[in-house]
């Protein structure tokens, strides 16, 4: 098929241009701001370059299953509130569905579908024997008490218990969820389905606390993976890790670990922004102290150059100065790391950015229009399916350790993670060389190549 039928996704700017036949055939609504359409178009662009057969394109353009549940939860004041939850199972050609569970007020079906598709690509690119899934509940976990959060998690797990399983679909944490939520999910699933001594049901989720089978290194895995990929790729484009200037958007699990590890390697984290505000220190922010501060205060706002003392008694002399959102984006750095929500880097933010490389620690942080602005400015974008694959990779290690009941030390986890991340980065670079495309398209090509080969030998039943 000629590559002229689908222009690069980032060049699609009007709704009346010539669409990929798959988009027409599956009657997708042509809303260019829709995250699912954006994700599918990116996948189709790469599929076309790879000359993937039409039958595989249509399979991958829609998830296999979209599960939506409504369930009541008793709130602390005794009244019942109805919640809506999702589990989307995108593709399991390579292995069981795998993907996080998000608790956030902006969880909607199309976003969950996009994140599930990204998981399929991520697992394939990292050569994990897993497929792609994603789930979530439309809620604000910050407004829930611990008891409410537990009852919400247990009712949701019960609602989807027949649709998940240790060898079928294995959830993990994502935004708004953590190891404790995974412990409640595992316990609920085992209570509903586990027979006597059926500890194996514990494998139904990863990202569990260490006490119940979690892996060492899982908590920092996504941030560590971001750093591993940058260490592999940045020196080749003339950026030395030691001394490079970094800006981080989002300082939760992924952003704070990426920041702490870059800081350990001698990089200077000069600006950080989260939902509470933005801060700057040209000498470099002490990310260990900032992480402790965020843990205590809920956000980066207020981490100022002062005599502030954190819980461990450490002075935050290397605090920072509050800055505006505009200054945050405009500050000149080598590397910009979006680690917050999807679609935060649209055209205006991309116009403001002054960096050489963007490493997408978050999922789909750059819109296609944002991407186009960055490309015109010569900014290299390391795509999410490569940059943040470290989380699912260590989740896979956890699942393997649970299966064998043999546990690895932290050093082995780090070494194995590094191997996977470096190989995924090299696959991406090779695809870029072979197809002469940008890194995002190259990463999708490297991922789709494996899925295409699997379908080629398995065929499509019957
Ligand atoms: P988190 O909830 O721990 O942190 C999210 C961060 O984003 C917080 O610092 C929050 O303040 C910030 N944020 C939220 N809204 C914001 C706004 N409007 N402006 C600025 N900052 C805002 O979540 P996380 O687990 O670190 O996940 C971050 C991203 O990484 C998500 O896209 C997630 O899907 C992706 N991801 C996470 C993992 C993982 O293992 N946790 C793995 C792969 C991808």
């Amino acid at each position: 098929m000629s590559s002229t039928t689908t222009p690069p996704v980032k060049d699609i700017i009007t709704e009346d241009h010539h669409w990929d036949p798959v988009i027409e055939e599956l009657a997708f609504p042509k809303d260019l701001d829709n995250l699912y359409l954006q994700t599918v178009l990116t996948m189709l662009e790469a599929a076309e370059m790879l000359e993937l057969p039409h039958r595989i394109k249509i399979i991958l353009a829609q998830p296999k299953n979209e599960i939506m549940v409504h369930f009541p939860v008793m709130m602390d004041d005794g009244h019942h509130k109805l919640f809506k939850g999702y589990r989307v199972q995108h593709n399991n050609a390579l292995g069981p569905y795998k993907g996080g569970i998000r608790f956030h007020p902006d969880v909607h079906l199309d976003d969950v579908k996009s994140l599930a598709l990204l998981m399929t690509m991520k697992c394939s690119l990292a050569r994990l024997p897993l497929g792609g899934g994603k789930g979530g509940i439309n809620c604000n976990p910050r407004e829930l008490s611990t008891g409410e959060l537990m009852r919400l998690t247990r009712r949701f797990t019960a609602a989807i218990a027949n649709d998940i399983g240790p060898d079928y679909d294995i959830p993990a944490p994502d935004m708004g969820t953590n190891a404790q939520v995974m412990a409640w999910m595992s316990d609920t699933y085992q209570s509903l389905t586990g027979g006597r001594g059926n500890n194996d049901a514990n494998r139904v989720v990863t990202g569990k606390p260490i006490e119940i089978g979690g892996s060492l290194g899982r908590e920092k895995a996504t941030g560590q993976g971001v750093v591993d990929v940058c260490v592999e790729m940045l020196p080749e484009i003339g950026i030395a890790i030691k001394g490079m200037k970094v800006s981080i958007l989002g300082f939760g699990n992924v952003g704070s670990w990426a920041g702490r590890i870059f800081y350990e390697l001698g990089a200077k984290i000069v600006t950080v922004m989260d939902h509470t505000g933005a801060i700057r220190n040209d000498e470099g922010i002490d990310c260990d102290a900032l992480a402790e501060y965020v843990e205590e205060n809920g956000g980066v706002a207020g981490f100022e150059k002062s005599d502030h003392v954190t819980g461990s008694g450490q002075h935050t002399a290397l605090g920072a100065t509050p800055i505006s959102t505009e200054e945050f984006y405009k500050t000149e750095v080598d590397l910009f790391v979006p680690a917050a929500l999807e679609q935060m880097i649209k055209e205006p933010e991309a116009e403001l950015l002054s960096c050489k490389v963007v490493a997408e620690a978050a999922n789909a942080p750059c819109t296609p229009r944002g991407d186009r602005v960055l490309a015109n400015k010569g900014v290299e974008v390391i795509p999410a399916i490569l940059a943040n694959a470290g989380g699912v990779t260590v989740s896979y290690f956890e699942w393997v350790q649970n299966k064998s009941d043999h546990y690895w030390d932290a050093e082995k986890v780090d070494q194995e993670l590094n191997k996977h991340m470096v190989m995924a980065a090299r696959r991406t670079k090779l695809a870029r060389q072979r197809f002469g495309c940008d890194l995002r398209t190259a990463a999708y090509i490297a991922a789709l190549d494996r899925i295409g080969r699997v379908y080629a030998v398995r065929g499509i039943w019957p």
Side-chain angles (χ1 to χ4, degrees):
M1 195 177 279
S2 120
S3 60
T4 52
T5 48
T6 308
V9 183
K10 55 183 182 284
D11 293 339
I12 297 176
I13 44 173
T14 63
E15 289 167 16
D16 55 5
H17 79 94
H18 187 79
W19 290 90
D20 188 290
V22 171
I23 297 294
E24 301 288 4
E25 185 179 336
L26 302 183
F28 273 69
K30 289 163 189 157
D31 171 8
L32 287 166
D33 293 323
N34 179 283
L35 183 59
Y36 191 62
L37 180 67
Q38 293 173 0
T39 314
V40 171
L41 286 171
T42 309
M43 185 272 293
L44 288 174
E45 183 186 338
E48 197 165 291
M49 282 193 180
L50 195 59
E51 296 184 10
L52 216 56
H54 170 261
R55 61 182 179 279
I56 300 175
K57 288 196 215 170
I58 52 171
I59 290 172
L60 293 175
Q62 288 288 20
K64 267 195 166 175
N65 305 311
E66 299 171 22
I67 300 149
M68 247 188 275
V69 291
H70 293 96
F71 53 95
V73 175
M74 197 208 278
M75 309 308 280
D76 287 346
D77 64 5
H79 91 281
H80 281 86
K81 190 170 169 184
L82 197 73
F83 287 89
K84 191 183 190 88
Y86 305 90
R87 185 69 187 167
V88 171
Q89 297 164 334
H90 177 259
N91 188 275
N92 61 352
L94 303 182
Y97 302 108
K98 184 91 193 80
I101 298 280
R102 177 175 293 194
F103 289 178
H104 195 274
D106 289 336
V107 166
H108 299 293
L109 182 61
D110 272 352
D111 302 337
V112 182
K113 284 168 65 175
S114 307
L115 295 166
L117 192 159
L118 288 177
M119 285 304 296
T120 300
M121 298 299 141
K122 214 179 284 186
C123 292
S124 180
L125 178 61
R127 299 298 187 257
L128 308 176
L130 297 168
K134 201 81 183 187
I137 302 177
N138 194 296
C139 67
N140 187 348
R142 290 181 217 271
E143 287 172 358
L144 301 174
S145 69
T146 305
E148 288 170 339
L149 199 60
M150 182 184 71
R151 292 192 291 278
L152 175 87
T153 304
R154 289 192 185 280
R155 278 303 305 240
F156 175 57
T157 309
I160 61 167
N162 287 330
D163 298 300
I164 57 176
D167 292 303
Y168 179 63
D169 183 0
I170 307 139
D174 189 67
M175 283 181 71
T177 57
N178 54 22
Q180 175 61 75
V181 171
M182 293 304 112
W184 290 326
M185 284 193 79
S186 167
D187 183 65
T188 308
Y189 183 81
Q190 287 185 71
S191 304
L192 292 173
T193 62
R196 266 185 216 163
N198 182 7
N199 201 28
D200 205 38
N202 193 24
R203 281 191 296 117
V204 69
V205 287
T206 57
K208 298 181 287 287
I210 305 288
E211 292 82 348
I212 60 163
S215 176
L216 291 173
R218 173 62 185 90
E219 201 203 318
K220 66 163 188 162
T222 309
Q224 179 72 57
V226 172
V227 175
D228 287 354
V229 167
C230 287
V231 168
E232 169 68 18
M233 299 181 86
L234 298 194
E236 283 175 14
I237 40 181
I239 303 174
I241 302 292
K242 195 170 165 61
M244 78 172 167
K245 289 186 180 175
V246 184
S247 173
I248 303 180
L249 171 59
F251 207 73
N253 174 290
V254 180
S256 72
W257 277 109
R260 275 177 272 183
I261 302 166
F262 273 132
Y263 174 68
E264 252 171 49
L265 296 180
K268 267 188 194 170
I269 318 305
V270 294
T271 56
V272 175
M273 182 164 93
D274 72 0
H275 70 288
T276 64
I279 56 172
R280 172 174 184 164
N281 181 342
D282 290 343
E283 302 305 310
I285 294 168
D286 177 339
C287 286
D288 293 324
L290 180 60
E292 233 181 87
Y293 179 86
V294 169
E295 182 79 29
E296 287 168 17
N297 297 280
V300 303
F303 183 73
E304 283 157 26
K305 281 186 183 165
S306 69
D307 294 335
H308 200 92
V309 181
T310 61
S312 69
Q314 194 177 11
H315 282 263
T316 57
L318 280 178
T321 314
I323 53 169
S324 67
T325 300
E326 186 176 337
E327 186 180 338
F328 168 77
Y329 284 114
K330 270 167 75 174
T331 303
E332 196 182 327
V333 289
D334 298 297
L335 175 68
F336 179 75
V337 182
L341 301 173
E342 292 79 35
Q343 298 187 300
M344 287 191 75
I345 314 301
K346 300 189 168 88
E347 265 169 322
E349 291 78 17
E351 295 283 3
L352 289 175
L353 278 181
S354 174
C355 62
K356 295 176 189 143
V357 177
V358 171
E360 292 188 332
N363 285 310
C366 301
T367 65
R369 287 172 183 156
D371 246 4
R372 188 179 59 236
V373 173
L374 294 174
N376 290 341
K377 287 166 105 171
V379 176
E380 191 83 85
V381 178
I382 304 178
I385 64 167
L386 170 61
N388 73 27
V392 67
T393 301
V394 177
S395 268
Y396 165 62
F397 297 162
E398 177 178 332
W399 187 69
V400 167
Q401 292 171 73
N402 293 161
K403 249 175 179 310
S404 63
D405 249 335
H406 177 73
Y407 286 84
W408 305 356
D409 59 26
E411 206 180 5
K412 172 157 170 152
V413 173
D414 272 359
Q415 273 171 3
E416 291 291 321
L417 172 62
N418 184 264
K419 265 192 233 165
H420 275 78
M421 299 308 296
V422 167
M423 289 310 293
R426 289 185 185 162
R427 262 171 226 127
T428 304
K429 286 189 282 184
L430 266 176
R432 173 164 70 173
Q433 231 172 18
R434 191 170 146 214
F435 291 89
C437 55
D438 60 26
L439 283 175
R440 188 184 306 287
T441 315
Y444 273 77
I445 287 175
L448 288 168
D449 185 45
R450 179 172 180 234
I451 297 172
R453 285 170 197 271
V454 167
Y455 273 112
V457 287
R458 278 178 54 161
I460 295 170
W461 189 86

